[in-house]
Amino acid sequence: IVYIGANDGMYHAFDASTGVEKFAYIPSAVYGRLNNLTNSNLTHQYLVDGQSTIVDAFFDSAWHTVAVSTLGAGGQGLFALDVSSLGDFNTEANASAKVLWEFTDANDDDLGYTFGQASIVRLQNGKWAAVFSGGYNNNIDNDSDGITNDSTTGNATLYIVDIEDGSLIKKFNTEKGTAEDPSGNNRPNGLSTPSVIDVDGDSKVDYIFAGDLFGNVWKIDITGNSAGSWDFSYKAAGKPLPVFTACHGTSCSGSNIQPITTQIQVARHPQSTGFLLYFGTGQYFEVGDNSSTGQTT
């Protein structure tokens, strides 16, 4: 089966051999805008524009194949479907029971436009979860879902939710937002796609890494059995500290800061213990990003 989101407002499942559609799902966050598609003068709009993750997870005493997709530029949210058996989608009544959850800015104001990709992982306590960043522009609500839940801080955030029901297990707040914008323009911050790492080979996640728009690389320690013990690996005076900050020149301030919008790749050190982080800098999704002048390189 080929799963893909589209700017018709639907998440589609196609038979890979025949191309026949098996089902389509419309997330509630974009439903209110679908009538715009009948407008012959409509300018392009993003709807179900995010990336999918499809993984087998164990819950309710059985294995399930779960598809989690973000909305990307289409909205502030993501959703999870149980796609273990496509026969369950033969009727609308059966199909509705296979919608596991939706998580939107109605669940948490700091959730922005969910660029990037979620991970489906097993935690140290054996529970399965989805891990995803809070995305971008969380203090701007233009997704027309009828809900206005703007972030008051613009802080970059990361979420871990129960894969079965979408309940929030843990939220990580970097405390870096509009007030800390290095350009002084009060821009909201946002994390890139997080990298979840199992360092000891037990198939359970130990650490999470992610970069943000202000050039910071964050490390989160979730090696404990309880969510209460999870935290940023580095802190000072109770506030999270990044592992590294990417900047051009000698001063990490103002326009010298280089955003990190791609997923960090993590590899074991080839000659000693520990790990290496590989990532590039820059961004390409805002107005002006394609300008040939004035870029920080």
Side-chain angles (χ1 to χ4, degrees), residues 121-129 162 169 204-205 222-228 230:
V121 301
R122 189 183 183 202
L123 304 173
Q124 290 295 326
N125 59 10
K127 183 177 287 292
W128 288 79
D162 191 306
I169 297 175
K204 299 177 182 178
V205 175
I222 59 171
T223 55
N225 287 325
S226 66
W230 303 342

Side-chain angles (χ1 to χ4, degrees), residues 158-179:
L158 183 139
Y159 300 87
I160 301 178
V161 304
D162 191 306
I163 197 63
E164 182 176 6
D165 59 15
S167 59
L168 182 63
I169 297 175
K170 185 82 172 186
K171 172 185 176 182
F172 296 92
N173 189 335
T174 65
E175 299 186 42
K176 297 289 187 182
T178 53

Side-chain angles (χ1 to χ4, degrees), residues 37-224:
L37 298 176
T38 64
N39 184 349
S40 60
N41 295 318
L42 177 69
T43 56
H44 174 75
Q45 63 177 6
Y46 299 97
L47 288 166
V48 187
D49 198 51
Q51 300 183 61
S52 298
T53 301
I54 302 163
V55 173
D56 290 340
F58 191 85
F59 57 87
D60 195 24
S61 303
W63 284 98
H64 302 259
T65 303
V66 180
V68 175
S69 180
T70 60
L71 297 181
Q76 294 166 293
L78 68 165
F79 57 88
L81 308 177
D82 185 342
V83 295
S84 304
S85 173
L86 291 187
D88 295 331
F89 292 87
N90 287 339
T91 68
E92 194 164 330
N94 291 339
S96 64
K98 297 303 175 180
V99 180
L100 295 176
W101 47 267
E102 292 185 355
F103 192 93
T104 70
D105 56 346
N107 298 98
D108 190 89
D109 290 352
D110 287 328
L111 186 74
Y113 287 81
T114 48
F115 286 76
Q117 190 169 14
S119 294
I120 300 174
V121 301
R122 189 183 183 202
L123 304 173
Q124 290 295 326
N125 59 10
K127 183 177 287 292
W128 288 79
V131 179
F132 53 93
S133 73
Y136 304 124
N137 281 2
N138 59 8
N139 66 345
I140 302 172
D141 190 87
N142 292 322
D143 52 0
S144 303
D145 58 3
I147 305 169
T148 302
N149 293 299
D150 296 347
S151 172
T152 58
T153 63
N155 289 349
T157 55
L158 183 139
Y159 300 87
I160 301 178
V161 304
D162 191 306
I163 197 63
E164 182 176 6
D165 59 15
S167 59
L168 182 63
I169 297 175
K170 185 82 172 186
K171 172 185 176 182
F172 296 92
N173 189 335
T174 65
E175 299 186 42
K176 297 289 187 182
T178 53
E180 292 76 29
D181 178 10
S183 72
N185 294 319
N186 295 317
R187 301 172 303 160
N189 197 2
L191 290 179
S192 62
T193 297
S195 300
V196 293
I197 307 301
D198 168 24
V199 298
D200 54 10
D202 64 355
S203 300
K204 299 177 182 178
V205 175
D206 297 299
Y207 300 99
I208 303 171
F209 292 92
D212 70 18
L213 290 179
F214 297 167
N216 299 306
V217 175
W218 302 95
K219 179 183 179 183
I220 298 172
D221 183 341
I222 59 171
T223 55

